[in-house]
Amino acid sequence: MKIIDGRVRLRTEQLLKPWTTELKPYFKEYIGWYGMKDRLTPLPVGEQINIAKKAGIDQMIVCGGANDTDHIVELGKQFKEIIPIAAINIDNGINACLKEIKRCEKNVAAIHTSPFIVKKNANNKMFYPIYGLCELIKKPIILHGSL
């Protein structure tokens, strides 16, 4: 049986920025709630993969922010254990999200968005064009509702 970790944020400098140098308000509380302080230093990707393997994880679905897709796709090319997904943020505008989906659709396994970050419910009509395009191109959409 293959075991896949469904949501990983690797500890590369780029993927840690929202938690460290560019601390986002919606992440600030998480650091304390989840005891994350010791996980906010960069760690080589190969080392993280080895840790996952020791835990019985074969592959990881890797996510990041809307500006991290190219970085994650590159990591996916380097490491077979990484399944890259693209992130979109509806605050960038519907057209920008649709363009980003089309731009990276061939290089990612799915599209990721976090409605809670923009204070919207997953069933908000603003998401419908995104859901429609994902259905049309047969690309799964992964929502993180932070419930």
Side-chain angles (χ1 to χ4, degrees):
M1 170 183 12
K2 183 182 244 184
I3 298 176
I4 299 173
D5 187 326
R7 188 169 182 271
V8 174
R9 182 179 288 268
L10 294 172
R11 289 168 52 183
T12 67
E13 285 188 33
Q14 179 167 338
L15 296 178
L16 286 174
K17 283 180 184 177
W19 299 89
T20 56
T21 58
E22 299 172 2
L23 184 61
K24 303 291 184 196
Y26 40 84
F27 290 146
K28 191 173 185 176
E29 293 175 327
Y30 276 45
I31 294 169
W33 291 344
Y34 298 107
M36 293 177 59
K37 197 132 185 110
D38 64 336
R39 292 183 281 156
L40 297 177
T41 54
L43 191 64
V45 174
E47 191 173 329
Q48 292 174 79
I49 289 170
N50 287 337
I51 291 167
K53 284 181 180 178
K54 287 178 185 172
I57 296 167
D58 299 302
Q59 285 186 293
M60 300 174 281
I61 295 174
V62 176
C63 63
N67 297 320
D68 298 323
T69 300
D70 292 336
H71 176 62
I72 293 168
V73 167
E74 284 306 311
L75 292 173
K77 290 176 182 175
Q78 293 174 39
F79 300 95
K80 65 180 177 24
E81 296 86 356
I82 292 176
I83 301 168
I85 62 173
I88 56 168
N89 183 333
I90 204 163
D91 272 355
N92 294 336
I94 300 298
N95 285 332
C97 290
L98 298 175
K99 284 179 187 173
E100 177 63 4
I101 292 167
K102 291 298 286 177
R103 182 186 77 83
C104 62
E105 73 174 291
K106 302 266 190 273
N107 297 314
V108 298
I111 306 301
H112 173 263
T113 192
S114 298
F116 81 96
I117 288 176
V118 293
K119 297 178 177 39
K120 302 214 181 312
N121 291 324
N123 62 351
N124 187 296
K125 290 179 182 178
M126 286 184 71
F127 289 102
Y128 289 3
I130 293 164
Y131 298 159
L133 178 57
C134 288
E135 182 177 4
L136 182 69
I137 64 173
K138 298 186 182 348
K139 192 66 65 176
I141 187 151
I142 299 170
L143 298 178
H144 181 54
S146 195
L147 301 176

